[in-house]
Amino acid sequence: MGRHSLPDEYGAAAPDPRPRARGRTVAIATVLVLAVAAGTAVAGRNGLLPLGGSCADEAVRVDVVAAPDIAPALAQAADHIREKEVTSDGHCMDVRVTPRDAYQVADALRAGKGGEYEVWVPDSALWLDRAGSDSDSTPVTPTGNIAATPVGVAMLPSAARSLGWPSKTYTWAELTAAATAGEKLRLGTADPARSAPGLLALTMVGASAAEAGDEDNTQVAEAAKILASRMSDSDGQVLDTLARDASGTEQGNPRRNQALILTEQAAHRHNAGTEEEGLDLFYPKDGTPLLDYPFTLVDERGQSTDESRAAVRFMTFFGEPEGRRVLARHGFRPESGDAEEAVVTAAGGRTPQPYEQEEFEPPAPEAMQETLGMWTITVQSARLTTVVDASGSMAQPVPGRDQSRMDVTKASLIQALSQFTPDDEIGLWEFATHLDGDKDFRKLVETRRLGDRDEKGKAHREKLTAAFGDLTPVPDGATGLYDTTLAAYRAAQDSYVSGKFNALVILTDGVNEDPGSISRSSLVAELEGLRDPDRPVPVIAIAVGPAADKEEVKEIAEATGGSGHQVSDPAQIHAVILKAIMEAGSTL
């Protein structure tokens, strides 16, 4: 076995974690400069990663968990490093790669787990936000990106040519509309809650539709409904839904898809492994978002210096010629996202499909979060009871606005309502002290399907919208939070509907002010006792304004498996509700 080492003064090619317009790309430079949290951050330039030396001592082991699509390329690189005895600080490197879906790793890290590996390579940086979204999350340190691949729509040749491929180009909205119109062309996707390509594509559909004038998200909601009916659980399963051949039996099978939301790399892998005619790939002309494969140190402070340096040395390999060749053989672009014609052609791309776009602004995290909330609502119909504080303090003006707290809250609730489908069930309560005799609460609208109509033909959505608009602060009313929460929670449990996302949304601008009510500790104990894992009803509690107590609503909500939030401006309620629904739905 030949020993392979580089002179210590050689600056290994390495990623630079600064973002560019195309996403989180990194520059390959002659000097390694990394900003990492615990002090292994500055390397190469200061000689912290000498690459020569003896392999006589024991190799440094680095365990890597990676997205299944890139894991084979990382494993091949690890084999090369072992065979050529590439060193870090004079130590040989023993890199072990385990494939694991990014959403599973993100959820484990968010729960404070994941200490059995040093490196995580998800397919997208969006998973880093999810992994670090809890105060108890295992810390992660992104150090750069090692590869890229764009997201497009792959089709069987007959389907692609029916849409004018490769000469005709489409926006995301146009392409999705063409692929979901009728039953002639069936389009499949992986679950956007578990798939970065699925989420990025759906976000692009929304942005594209909005650009075309679909301001109320009608088109994207319709597309989401159709995609949900043909959804696979994960990226690893979506290709299994494709028609296996061009026979009439396969093409006519309603369970088989002719088109898929797919990455260039996945199409490349599929085409390399099929004896049939390969997939053709559409690259929407309004932008193809990139998966960016962030190389991420896990709990870096708990790693030894040898481990963290060896991990970084493994990352720099992908900036070297052999590392780039490994990635290209597996269908990946370099981390810059620059198209390589051989990779594009093998994946089914052809000119004039716009597979190379120099200037593209990827979807903002906020847009993806809102899309995911919409998707959660779309896929699993919701049953929500909204409980709104009607105490006198809701009449106070919102700083910077010529509106009261209640006025802004009502507008935000009506905006949130537009995200729900006719199959969703929503009701409304209000609360203030002694609002209904000795009760602090009053039911205003029953929790029913938005699409239901009364005997006069009026839709429940219209009735609920009017009720939101009629909410008025009670001049002498105080905040009767505790009794209301308990009563509303019991009612939501009693009316639980299986197969729907059942939840209780509580909005309050203050702390409990009813001296005769149940105590906070007793309320929490009661909620914990009532909680039923087989009939989950998470509370989504939102503290509105400076007088509300976030810790109080958080404690109350978490007793039910829900979440507590605080907003300074009631206009944020709409976004918080969608985010909270997504988070609660992902844990059920």
Side-chain angles (χ1 to χ4, degrees):
M1 183 181 298
R3 192 178 306 280
H4 177 80
S5 60
L6 299 176
D8 291 353
E9 66 271 15
Y10 178 82
D16 169 359
R18 293 171 298 180
R20 294 185 191 163
R22 295 199 61 147
R24 292 193 182 193
T25 59
V26 289
I28 301 300
T30 58
V31 179
L32 177 62
V33 183
L34 291 173
V36 195
T40 61
V42 181
R45 179 179 60 188
N46 296 325
L48 297 185
L49 287 178
L51 304 179
S54 172
C55 283
D57 54 1
E58 186 176 351
V60 178
R61 176 164 171 169
V62 177
D63 284 291
V64 179
V65 169
D69 56 346
I70 201 169
L74 300 189
Q76 185 176 343
D79 289 342
H80 174 87
I81 284 171
R82 276 192 294 271
E83 291 169 4
K84 298 301 182 181
E85 295 186 351
V86 177
T87 62
S88 169
D89 279 344
H91 301 294
C92 288
M93 299 161 58
D94 179 17
V95 180
R96 311 285 183 92
V97 180
T98 302
R100 193 173 302 168
D101 285 325
Y103 77 90
Q104 294 176 333
V105 180
D107 288 345
L109 292 171
R110 183 172 61 180
K113 303 174 183 177
E116 70 274 15
Y117 43 89
E118 287 74 44
V119 174
W120 175 35
V121 184
D123 55 6
S124 171
L126 68 86
W127 299 113
L128 304 184
D129 296 331
R130 179 161 165 177
S133 62
D134 195 279
S135 58
D136 297 325
S137 299
T138 299
V140 295
T141 309
T143 59
N145 305 68
I146 60 173
T149 191
V151 179
V153 179
M155 295 190 188
L156 295 173
S158 58
R161 286 161 194 153
S162 73
L163 295 184
W165 181 92
S167 300
K168 188 171 182 180
T169 59
Y170 295 81
T171 66
W172 275 101
E174 291 168 347
L175 186 56
T176 306
T180 55
E183 286 294 318
K184 293 184 179 180
L185 180 58
R186 294 182 291 273
L187 173 64
T189 184
D191 183 353
R194 298 180 171 186
S195 162
L199 179 56
L200 285 165
L202 192 60
T203 305
M204 290 298 300
V205 172
S208 181
E211 186 71 20
D214 181 34
E215 296 181 359
D216 60 358
N217 292 329
T218 302
Q219 183 176 338
V220 69
E222 290 176 354
K225 275 291 190 188
I226 295 171
L227 288 172
S229 69
R230 312 201 63 80
M231 178 184 71
S232 300
D233 284 344
S234 66
D235 292 313
Q237 298 176 13
V238 70
L239 274 164
D240 294 337
T241 69
L242 198 64
R244 296 188 180 99
D245 54 51
S247 68
T249 301
E250 279 292 298
Q251 294 288 332
N253 187 338
R255 296 185 178 181
R256 297 293 180 191
N257 293 313
Q258 293 88 30
L260 301 173
I261 290 175
L262 210 63
T263 65
E264 182 182 85
Q265 188 274 334
H268 181 285
R269 184 179 72 248
H270 173 83
N271 289 351
T274 184
E275 296 180 358
E276 299 289 330
E277 194 174 3
L279 295 169
D280 294 328
L281 198 55
F282 281 93
Y283 299 78
K285 61 186 178 182
D286 49 352
T288 49
L290 291 174
L291 299 188
D292 53 4
Y293 300 92
F295 192 94
T296 309
L297 301 183
V298 178
D299 193 16
E300 191 212 0
R301 294 186 179 183
Q303 298 179 19
S304 70
T305 301
D306 286 342
E307 288 172 338
S308 57
R309 290 181 178 177
V312 171
R313 176 65 188 99
F314 181 53
M315 180 186 73
T316 67
F317 173 76
F318 297 98
E320 299 169 11
E322 180 57 30
R324 287 176 175 267
R325 283 192 288 269
V326 168
L327 292 172
R329 282 196 292 270
H330 286 266
F332 291 98
R333 298 186 181 192
E335 47 73 34
S336 63
D338 296 333
E340 296 186 7
E341 188 171 350
V343 170
V344 173
T345 301
R350 298 287 189 281
T351 303
Q353 287 297 313
Y355 56 77
E356 179 70 278
Q357 295 181 1
E358 295 299 330
E359 297 296 333
F360 170 63
E361 193 67 31
E366 295 79 12
M368 288 191 287
Q369 189 73 32
E370 185 165 337
T371 298
L372 192 51
M374 180 274 296
W375 172 263
T376 303
I377 295 168
T378 300
V379 173
Q380 185 179 29
S381 295
R383 179 177 172 80
L384 308 177
T385 301
T386 308
V387 185
V388 180
D389 191 342
S391 60
S393 56
M394 289 291 284
Q396 294 183 5
V398 175
R401 296 176 181 269
D402 188 24
Q403 292 177 296
S404 70
R405 213 173 272 167
M406 180 64 90
D407 289 337
V408 180
T409 296
K410 292 190 295 187
S412 193
L413 286 171
I414 292 171
Q415 183 181 4
L417 188 61
S418 69
Q419 300 291 319
F420 292 88
T421 71
D423 286 332
D424 294 313
E425 301 180 29
I426 301 180
L428 175 63
W429 290 26
E430 63 177 346
F431 69 98
T433 51
H434 308 297
L435 188 63
D436 184 11
D438 291 334
K439 294 180 180 179
D440 293 341
F441 49 87
R442 178 164 53 203
K443 183 190 297 184
L444 297 178
V445 180
E446 286 282 352
T447 302
R448 295 178 56 190
R449 286 182 69 256
L450 292 175
D452 285 352
R453 295 184 178 275
D454 61 19
E455 61 279 0
K456 296 181 180 179
K458 189 173 186 178
H460 185 67
R461 184 189 295 273
E462 297 175 51
K463 188 180 298 185
L464 191 61
T465 300
F468 281 147
D470 290 340
L471 285 168
T472 305
V474 178
D476 299 322
T479 304
L481 178 63
Y482 295 165
D483 283 353
T484 300
T485 299
L486 184 58
Y489 188 75
R490 283 174 169 158
Q493 277 199 320
D494 289 343
S495 60
Y496 181 89
V497 175
S498 180
K500 289 183 178 283
F501 173 75
N502 294 252
L504 190 64
V505 179
I506 299 177
L507 308 175
T508 181
D509 75 338
V511 297
N512 185 69
E513 297 173 319
D514 184 354
S517 73
I518 189 174
S519 68
R520 176 171 166 180
S521 59
S522 295
L523 170 63
V524 170
E526 287 268 10
L527 293 174
E528 289 175 340
L530 290 169
R531 183 178 175 183
D532 184 353
D534 295 327
R535 296 163 59 88
V537 183
V539 168
I540 298 168
I542 303 175
V544 182
D549 186 344
K550 179 184 178 181
E551 293 307 313
E552 178 177 65
V553 298
K554 184 178 180 182
E555 182 182 6
I556 292 170
E558 289 181 349
T560 68
S563 56
H565 309 264
Q566 185 164 31
V567 297
S568 57
D569 186 340
Q572 299 169 323
I573 289 172
H574 149 255
V576 170
I577 289 175
L578 295 181
K579 177 182 177 182
I581 288 173
M582 181 276 295
E583 290 178 346
S586 69
T587 63
L588 299 179

